[in-house]
Amino acid sequence: MQSSHGGETSPTGGPVARWSVDQVLALAPDAASRTAGTRLGAAGPWSGTGCDGTGAVWGLCEGSGNTPYRTVVDLTGPAYHCTCPSRKFPCKHAVGLLLLRASDEAAFRRTEVADWAAAWIEGRRTRPAERGRSSGGAGTARGPADPAAARKRAERRAERVTDGARELEQRLSDLLRGGLAATERSGYGLWEETAARMVDAQAPGLAARVRELGAITGSGPGWPVRLLEECGLLHLLDTAWLGRERLPEPLAATVRTRVGLPVSAEGPPVRDHWSVLAQYDIPDGKIVARRIWLYGRESGRTALLLSFGAAGRPPAYALPVGTAIDAELTPYPGGAQLRAELGEQFGAVAPAAPPPGIAPADAPAVYGHALREDPWLDACPVTLRDVIPVPSRDGWQVADAHADTALPIAPAALSRPGLWKLVALSGGGPVTVFGEVGHRGFDPFAAWEPGEPEEGAERPAAVGPVVQLI
């Protein structure tokens, strides 16, 4: 039996957003679950399906045994419960149930919750909110029982990081004195050995940046320039750590995070209606990092939920793109203060329009301002309005529909099928696109069909849903 939840809620009894097929598939923990769930997304294996109008959806799915699997989903979380033995959340039966609802709403009769599903639904919605919980791998560090002992451990770790930063500075100096061309002869072993030394110094952030240097050497025309640029950023991070006492606290917090020290979400929670703009996974060996971008309708803040999954388990957070959640977010320390921890949720998810956008010509200034807060930032979130994807000499770009300006699309996006989704969605007309802008260009993550209203806009709502591009 498997069960999972995405935060406590207080259902309002109002209408609940009906998710699209793309939104359901985005919640699947992996490709295998998407494939298996798709096979179960037809009415054939299901019986006893129903919904109660406040977010509960349930059904019985035929399995290999004599007893069907009992599957129930609370859309206000979202949260899932199934009697199957799977350890994935959501399991293929929950994915199939939601796909069936997305494609055939008539298969779900609105009625009272089935007896076998009512206990789980009632218990989930009435138990106290789990305040202060860890986000299941999201990187939250719990407070220690002995502050004095924790302080001593932190001081010892800081000393080890300082020793590692000094050693790294010496190695960078030796590298520059010997010439960058020497790195081709030494191969990747030079960087891996240096990264291992940073791991020993308990500075995983420095180790990760050192490994990135190894991938630059011999990576194509102009690699010495790119290597020198990254060495300069690594030197800047080293010197910032060694002189952190003289830095403003927000920048010092950013340096601690970049070096790899654990941090906790702090400060007063921000309650808002948060639109879910994008969700995507980044594999890193045996660990999967999930990034979810949110936009606060009242606060105007953009926030990042970051969680991790390992040992075959999916990351903690899973939210349907294109919807909005009434919830509290607690920000992490740092200059940009983009990363946050999801707290208590209130009510059901609801459809969401795109956030207010800016012109492509204004996007570089947004990135430049973010760099003042975090000099090591590769890209920052931005929503572009009224842009048209057009081919360019070196690839693709998003051009302003009302001015003679454009942003190049980042190389990483050129090989993804999402680029062609964006082109097809636009059809030569303007669209609203959310993504990240940085020194490599603009990386599109989601787009809204032409005519979809922006948050706060007075023009009538259009029908088009969000289209995920990553």
Side-chain angles (χ1 to χ4, degrees):
M1 183 177 68
Q2 60 110 26
S3 178
S4 172
H5 65 84
E8 298 303 323
T9 60
S10 300
T12 61
V16 178
R18 181 186 174 192
W19 298 350
S20 67
V21 170
D22 285 343
Q23 288 173 321
V24 174
L25 291 177
L27 294 175
D30 51 37
S33 297
R34 284 190 288 272
T35 301
T38 300
R39 289 197 294 265
L40 295 174
W46 293 97
S47 62
T49 56
C51 62
D52 71 344
T54 64
V57 181
W58 61 88
L60 302 173
C61 185
E62 294 179 1
S64 56
N66 296 327
T67 304
Y69 295 122
R70 297 178 173 182
T71 307
V72 56
V73 178
D74 185 358
L75 300 178
T76 63
Y80 321 91
H81 179 78
C82 185
T83 56
C84 75
S86 174
R87 298 180 61 188
K88 297 180 180 180
F89 304 104
C91 67
K92 64 181 181 181
H93 305 100
V95 173
L97 181 68
L98 293 176
L99 287 175
L100 176 62
R101 184 171 185 266
S103 59
D104 186 9
E105 192 172 16
F108 292 82
R109 185 169 58 91
R110 187 164 177 172
T111 182
E112 295 293 327
V113 181
D115 292 341
W116 54 267
W120 180 78
I121 288 290
E122 182 179 358
R124 210 193 79 81
R125 291 181 174 179
T126 57
R127 63 177 175 260
E130 300 176 53
R131 297 187 180 275
R133 65 179 178 89
S134 169
S135 58
T140 304
R142 292 186 178 274
D146 187 347
R151 185 169 57 253
K152 291 180 179 179
R153 288 194 297 270
E155 290 173 353
R156 288 195 297 267
R157 179 168 185 176
E159 291 175 359
R160 286 192 287 269
V161 173
T162 297
D163 292 340
R166 287 172 178 161
E167 179 180 346
L168 183 54
E169 279 295 284
Q170 184 61 52
R171 296 194 177 207
L172 290 175
S173 298
D174 294 342
L175 171 65
L176 294 178
R177 278 195 298 267
L180 297 180
T183 60
E184 276 195 301
R185 296 191 299 270
S186 58
Y188 191 76
L190 167 68
W191 305 110
E192 187 58 38
E193 192 270 337
T194 303
R197 293 290 298 155
M198 296 304 103
V199 172
D200 293 340
Q202 293 188 290
L206 294 179
R209 298 191 77 91
V210 169
R211 290 193 179 98
E212 291 175 1
L213 296 181
I216 296 175
T217 302
S219 59
W223 71 261
V225 175
R226 296 193 296 273
L227 181 60
L228 184 60
E229 290 174 348
E230 293 302 320
C231 285
L233 287 173
L234 187 52
H235 165 71
L236 180 64
L237 183 55
D238 274 344
T239 54
W241 170 262
L242 296 175
R244 61 192 180 281
E245 294 83 2
R246 300 188 299 272
L247 299 178
E249 178 51 33
L251 182 56
T254 298
V255 170
R256 290 192 292 269
T257 300
R258 290 293 182 182
V259 166
L261 297 185
V263 294
S264 300
E266 59 185 33
V270 179
R271 181 176 176 179
D272 206 336
H273 288 83
W274 299 95
S275 300
V276 185
L277 303 180
Q279 174 178 292
Y280 57 98
D281 294 344
I282 302 176
D284 184 9
K286 296 182 179 180
I287 297 177
V288 175
R290 175 166 295 169
R291 297 168 67 88
I292 303 178
W293 284 108
L294 306 175
Y295 173 79
R297 186 170 63 194
E298 285 80 23
S299 64
R301 298 176 60 165
T302 302
L304 172 66
L305 299 181
L306 183 62
S307 59
F308 301 91
R313 298 187 67 85
Y317 298 137
L319 298 173
V321 176
T323 63
I325 57 173
D326 181 4
E328 291 181 342
L329 294 186
T330 302
Y332 280 76
Q337 287 192 329
L338 289 177
R339 186 184 172 192
E341 179 179 322
L342 180 63
E344 185 175 358
Q345 295 176 234
F346 309 88
V349 297
I358 62 174
D362 299 327
V366 174
Y367 178 52
H369 178 77
L371 284 177
R372 291 205 304 265
E373 306 292 338
D374 184 353
W376 304 275
L377 192 65
D378 286 329
C380 66
V382 66
T383 301
L384 303 180
R385 68 167 185 268
D386 295 337
V387 295
I388 304 173
V390 296
S392 64
R393 183 178 61 183
D394 301 322
W396 284 79
Q397 58 187 5
V398 282
D400 193 327
H402 308 296
D404 190 21
T405 58
L407 279 176
I409 291 182
L414 298 179
S415 60
R416 295 199 304 258
L419 173 61
W420 302 110
K421 289 184 181 180
L422 177 61
V423 174
L425 178 70
S426 168
V431 293
T432 297
V433 185
F434 170 78
E436 292 183 354
V437 63
H439 59 91
R440 297 183 181 91
F442 177 71
D443 195 353
F445 294 162
W448 289 261
E449 292 185 7
E452 182 77 356
E454 296 179 351
E455 291 281 3
E458 297 180 356
R459 51 196 174 99
V463 177
V466 63
V467 175
Q468 300 179 74
L469 307 175
I470 189 171

